[in-house]
Amino acid sequence: MKNIVSIGEVLMDVYSENNTIKSEVGGASFNVACSIGALKQNNSYFMGSLGNDEFVSPIKDFVKKFNVKEDFIQVSDKPTTIAKVTLDENKERFFQFIRNSDAEYSLSKESNEKLSKIDFIHFGSATGFLEGNLKESYNELFEFAIKNNIKFSFDPNFRDKLWVTDQEIKNFKNHCQKFMDKASLIKFSEDELLLLTEIGNQEEAVRTIMQRNPNALVCITRGCEDTIFGWKNQINYVPTILAEHLVDTTGAGDAFISNLISEYVSIDVDANFSTEEITKIIKKSNMFANQTVQYLGALSFLEHLN
């Protein structure tokens, strides 16, 4: 089994729908760590900072329940970061962030001995480019990966409530570019693809990314329609399996990339893999993501895995 690290935030998603409020453990990076742990194909490590309040207990319960290794988990003296999630009539989500503990993670506190055991890294944090120790750690871990030839995945997880002004959005795009140019796996939503390439034609946009990073597997998740992927300078489409009962789309993208990473690392994908072989793991990742949208919260589906 390989050692996969997901760096970034753990937080509480506070849902508001039909005048009711409910809290669920979440955070893009933590979602991925839990999903990879639940799949049990590889060792899953979460690299991030917990808060000092009542939410620590349910978060730690998820760590144990879904086989997440604690070696890189730190504890902050600040409260847990909160994401207020409002669901519309199509179960699409809108976020408002109250940021605290996730910003405190410091890579410099980790030993070289522990870091040397990492086989693959997922950079999928929604808050990783915001100011704070986490941002510094994000970039330090990127440099560590490059220096040590460690493969990694990148999901920008753009949140329009975190990057509002034109200058802030420009900064976000600048932060993303080096990750896009070096990642082995890249996953975007349709909106992120347009934002980061400024190209309206999606096939042309994917080809532009592949020209800069020809060895990457590039995936564009398109909700209930399909997944586009670019591999070996070819564009391919894999249909999405529709959910029988749509409840919440919050964790679909995280679930997709989790399964994709787990498969990619387990079978050690390289340039010799055919389009047909890649299509198989995209299909499996679509099926995995299909399960999460049938439950409230990004991680609830892990209790019901088929």
Side-chain angles (χ1 to χ4, degrees):
M1 296 175 74
K2 300 291 182 64
N3 298 322
I4 301 174
V5 167
S6 181
I7 179 173
E9 74 279 9
V10 60
L11 47 78
M12 293 302 295
D13 288 321
V14 180
Y15 288 83
S16 177
E17 184 183 22
N18 299 326
N19 297 319
T20 62
I21 295 176
K22 184 177 181 180
S23 299
E24 297 283 350
V25 177
S29 304
F30 189 71
N31 293 343
V32 171
C34 287
S35 293
I36 292 174
L39 286 166
K40 299 181 180 180
Q41 292 176 303
N42 297 282
N43 296 316
S44 181
Y45 294 78
F46 174 64
M47 183 179 276
S49 180
L50 309 188
N52 67 346
D53 51 23
E54 70 273 16
F55 295 126
V56 171
S57 180
I59 290 171
K60 287 186 174 180
D61 287 345
F62 274 69
V63 167
K64 292 180 173 60
K65 186 183 300 182
F66 299 122
N67 314 304
V68 177
K69 306 292 185 182
E70 300 184 45
D71 302 50
F72 298 108
I73 293 178
Q74 298 175 8
V75 179
S76 166
D77 60 359
K78 293 186 177 181
T80 301
T81 295
I82 300 293
K84 293 185 176 180
V85 186
T86 303
L87 299 176
D88 68 13
E89 63 274 13
N90 297 317
K91 308 301 181 182
E92 290 294 334
R93 70 270 196 256
F94 299 89
F95 293 91
Q96 177 187 355
F97 283 87
I98 303 172
R99 195 172 189 224
N100 279 299
S101 57
D102 75 283
E104 299 301 300
Y105 181 79
S106 178
L107 187 69
S108 62
K109 295 180 180 179
E110 308 294 358
S111 70
N112 288 331
E113 181 182 359
K114 286 198 295 183
L115 293 172
S116 67
K117 298 177 182 178
I118 298 174
D119 296 307
F120 191 94
I121 301 167
H122 177 56
F123 293 96
S125 173
T127 63
F129 296 135
L130 297 175
E131 293 304 318
N133 289 338
L134 176 60
K135 177 184 176 181
E136 294 181 16
S137 299
Y138 218 63
N139 286 299
E140 288 169 4
L141 192 62
F142 171 85
E143 297 299 335
F144 178 83
I146 298 299
K147 180 179 179 181
N148 292 279
N149 295 313
I150 299 172
K151 289 184 176 181
F152 62 88
S153 51
F154 177 60
D155 180 349
N157 266 308
F158 177 75
R159 300 285 187 265
D160 58 8
K161 292 295 188 293
L162 299 180
W163 308 92
V164 179
T165 68
D166 289 345
Q167 185 59 52
E168 287 171 346
I169 293 172
K170 182 179 179 181
N171 291 343
F172 177 84
K173 292 164 70 173
N174 288 338
H175 291 316
C176 289
Q177 193 60 61
K178 68 179 182 181
F179 290 85
M180 293 165 59
D181 289 346
K182 298 296 184 180
S184 297
L185 282 179
I186 302 171
K187 178 259 169 190
F188 293 148
S189 68
E190 293 181 275
D191 290 341
E192 289 164 345
L193 180 67
L194 178 59
L195 175 72
L196 293 170
T197 65
E198 299 180 354
I199 298 173
N201 183 292
Q202 292 182 341
E203 289 197 4
E204 183 181 344
V206 173
R207 290 190 190 281
T208 299
I209 296 169
M210 289 193 292
Q211 286 173 1
R212 293 184 62 121
N213 188 351
N215 295 319
L217 171 57
V218 183
C219 298
I220 315 302
T221 53
R222 305 203 301 175
C224 61
E225 188 174 348
D226 57 25
T227 299
I228 302 175
F229 76 91
W231 180 246
K232 295 184 177 180
N233 206 34
Q234 293 183 339
I235 306 294
N236 305 272
Y237 294 78
V238 180
T240 300
I241 299 171
L242 297 179
E244 294 180 5
H245 183 50
L246 181 62
V247 175
D248 177 18
T249 62
T250 299
D254 296 333
F256 173 86
I257 192 65
S258 300
N259 192 84
L260 188 61
I261 292 168
S262 192
E263 292 285 337
Y264 184 99
V265 173
S266 296
I267 62 179
D268 198 17
V269 171
D270 60 27
N272 295 318
F273 272 64
S274 67
T275 297
E276 291 73 24
E277 289 172 308
I278 299 299
T279 297
K280 287 181 181 179
I281 65 174
I282 300 291
K283 283 182 177 178
K284 291 178 72 172
S285 300
N286 280 345
M287 292 174 65
F288 189 71
N290 173 270
Q291 296 181 67
T292 186
V293 301
Q294 301 181 56
Y295 301 92
L296 183 67
L299 294 173
S300 303
F301 81 108
L302 295 178
E303 306 268 12
H304 310 274
L305 283 183
N306 295 331

